[in-house]
């Protein structure tokens, strides 16, 4: 009676959500836990977006919508791609989904069969390989450590391409490292893809507006428009607009792929929440000045966290170009012993030590495909970050 499907057996629960669950359980017991594991901005959804949602409710926009998005939101997304990225899509080339994870799920399940490969740079967002495996495909992981800025090279990509890959997934700025590809780096990767016309490209631009580098953000189609017919450009409202709970992701791509994703969605979730769709249309069409203000705050937090973690014995923390994560290398503390006599053999051991002995929650590097390291989200207050990093410094200093 308890037999589960083979497809379900190919995935595991999200490690980031599992850590968030541990934090909530410890807080419920009255413990002073500082949670740095969730990829969620602490800013509130802008008031003008909330107002649009309230108006949508009051005007009765609470019925089923078109499966993959209301016309108003598709037009807003179309304008966003043109305004921010210089990409022209028709509304038939745009899909709206229940979050970025749903967009990714639809694209991969609609196109990946057993025997297909999907190239994934590591460190990677935890859901990429699991969704590939759920679809029946095989993740091909390309390791990109701190020594290369957590970014793959054209030579790595070229060597990984055989007749089997169906997709390359490219996330910039990155979850979990915050690493971001420059326009020149994207162009070099694009030139490799041009030699291999059977490989499609999924660019995950979810953190586009959380950006600190001197040069402007670039997505692949801006620097390599020749890939237009085989690129899915994915984005969403969750991070920049602080709308994680509203659950809206979207993408632009080839019409045949968008239609296939819509067919799948019609038999799974059907349309995303109608109220959320009107809210996101307002977010994309409305004033964007607040993004710069919030970005400045994120940058201030980044600089604080990077400086303090680099002062922790045994840790080395690169400075990210975007998103709201850091990914310290923990090689210098591997093999050491805690005051309670437990040896730190893996980054999972280190994260358990931080949580159980020092009440700081992060996510271990193995969850993202590259060890030894860990991910910290600095999308919280300066005060909480200072206290958390002070605890981490003390925790590392206490190791012997």
């Amino acid at each position: 009676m308890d037999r589960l499907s083979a497809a379900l057996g190919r995935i595991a629960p999200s490690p980031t959500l599992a850590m968030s669950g541990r934090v909530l359980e410890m807080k419920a017991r009255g413990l002073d836990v500082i949670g740095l594991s969730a990829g969620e901005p602490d800013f509130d959804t802008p008031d003008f977006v909330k107002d649009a949602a309230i108006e949508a409710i009051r005007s009765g926009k609470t019925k089923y919508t078109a499966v993959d998005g209301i016309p108003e939101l598709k037009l807003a997304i179309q304008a966003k791609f043109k305004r921010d990225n210089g990409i022209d899509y028709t509304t038939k080339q745009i899909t709206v989904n229940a979050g970025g994870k749903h967009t990714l799920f639809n694209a991969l399940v609609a196109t990946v069969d057993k025997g297909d490969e999907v190239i994934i740079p590591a460190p990677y967002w935890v859901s990429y390989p699991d969704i590939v495996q759920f679809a029946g495909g095989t993740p091909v992981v390309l390791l990109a450590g701190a020594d290369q800025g957590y970014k793959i090279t054209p030579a790595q990509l070229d060597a990984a391409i055989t007749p089997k890959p169906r997709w390359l997934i490219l996330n910039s700025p990155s979850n979990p490292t915050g690493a971001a590809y420059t326009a020149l780096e994207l162009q070099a990767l694009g030139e490799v893809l041009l030699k291999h016309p059977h490989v499609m490209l999924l660019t995950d631009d979810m953190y586009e507006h959380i950006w600190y580098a001197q040069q402007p953000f670039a997505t692949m189609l801006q620097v390599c428009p020749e890939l237009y017919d085989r690129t899915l450009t994915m984005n969403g409202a969750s991070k920049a607009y602080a709308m994680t709970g509203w659950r809206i992701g979207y993408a632009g791509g080839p019409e045949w792929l968008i239609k296939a994703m819509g067919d799948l969605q019609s038999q799974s979730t059907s349309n995303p929440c109608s109220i959320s769709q009107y809210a996101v249309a307002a977010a994309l069409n409305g004033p964007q000045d607040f993004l710069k203000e919030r970005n400045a705050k994120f940058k201030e937090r980044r600089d604080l966290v990077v400086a303090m973690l680099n002062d922790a014995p045994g840790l080395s923390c690169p400075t990210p170009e975007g998103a709201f994560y850091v990914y310290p290398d923990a090689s210098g503390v591997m093999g050491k012993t805690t005051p309670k006599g437990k040896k730190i053999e893996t980054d999972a051991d280190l994260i358990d030590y931080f949580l159980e002995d020092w009440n700081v929650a992060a996510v271990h590097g193995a969850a993202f495909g590259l060890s030894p390291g860990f991910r910290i989200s600095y999308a919280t207050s300066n005060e909480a970050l200072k206290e958390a990093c002070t605890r981490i410094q003390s925790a590392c200093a206490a190791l012997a």
Side-chain angles (χ1 to χ4, degrees), residues 97-321:
N97 321 106
K101 190 178 294 187
H102 189 206
T103 306
L104 179 73
F105 187 93
N106 283 353
L108 294 179
V109 171
T111 58
V112 172
D113 285 316
K114 183 177 181 180
D116 289 336
E117 295 178 347
V118 176
I119 300 171
I120 304 172
Y124 47 66
W125 182 42
V126 295
S127 294
Y128 293 151
D130 278 53
I131 295 175
V132 170
Q133 289 170 157
F134 181 88
T138 302
V140 175
V141 175
L142 302 187
L143 296 179
D147 59 330
Q148 57 192 72
Y150 295 128
K151 293 181 279 190
I152 62 169
T153 65
Q156 276 183 294
L157 177 59
D158 200 29
I161 297 178
T162 67
K164 292 184 178 181
R166 183 76 164 121
W167 288 93
L168 163 67
I169 298 177
L170 205 59
N171 177 210
S172 174
S174 160
N175 176 3
T177 67
Y181 290 88
T182 66
L184 288 176
E185 289 168 337
L186 287 175
Q187 187 173 28
L189 294 174
E191 289 172 358
V192 174
L193 291 174
L194 288 174
K195 298 191 300 181
H196 303 282
H198 65 290
V199 181
M200 297 187 66
L201 173 66
L202 192 155
T203 64
D204 182 348
D205 297 346
M206 191 65 68
Y207 296 89
E208 169 187 3
H209 291 299
I210 305 172
W211 182 265
Y212 319 118
Q214 291 286 334
Q215 66 275 21
F217 170 83
T219 192
M220 180 64 85
L221 290 186
Q222 289 174 278
V223 300
C224 196
E226 300 92 334
L227 294 172
Y228 182 87
D229 290 336
R230 51 187 169 113
T231 296
L232 185 70
T233 305
M234 184 180 105
N235 213 311
S238 293
K239 311 302 181 178
Y241 297 94
M243 298 179 71
T244 50
W246 299 76
R247 306 312 303 138
I248 296 292
Y250 59 82
E255 190 172 332
W256 66 267
L257 175 59
I258 299 300
K259 181 182 183 304
M261 293 169 66
D263 290 346
L264 176 60
Q265 188 160 306
S266 74
Q267 294 289 10
S268 55
T269 63
S270 192
N271 64 273
C273 172
S274 61
I275 305 306
S276 295
Q277 290 187 68
Y278 285 102
V280 173
L284 295 179
N285 288 333
Q288 307 292 302
D289 294 348
F290 71 95
L291 294 174
K292 291 182 180 179
E293 297 170 7
R294 294 183 176 187
N295 223 34
K297 191 64 178 178
F298 278 134
K299 185 176 184 294
E300 178 185 322
R301 295 171 178 180
R302 178 202 68 172
D303 294 342
L304 166 68
V305 169
V306 168
M308 292 191 72
L309 291 178
N310 277 321
D311 282 341
L315 300 184
S316 175
C317 185
T319 302
E321 296 93 354

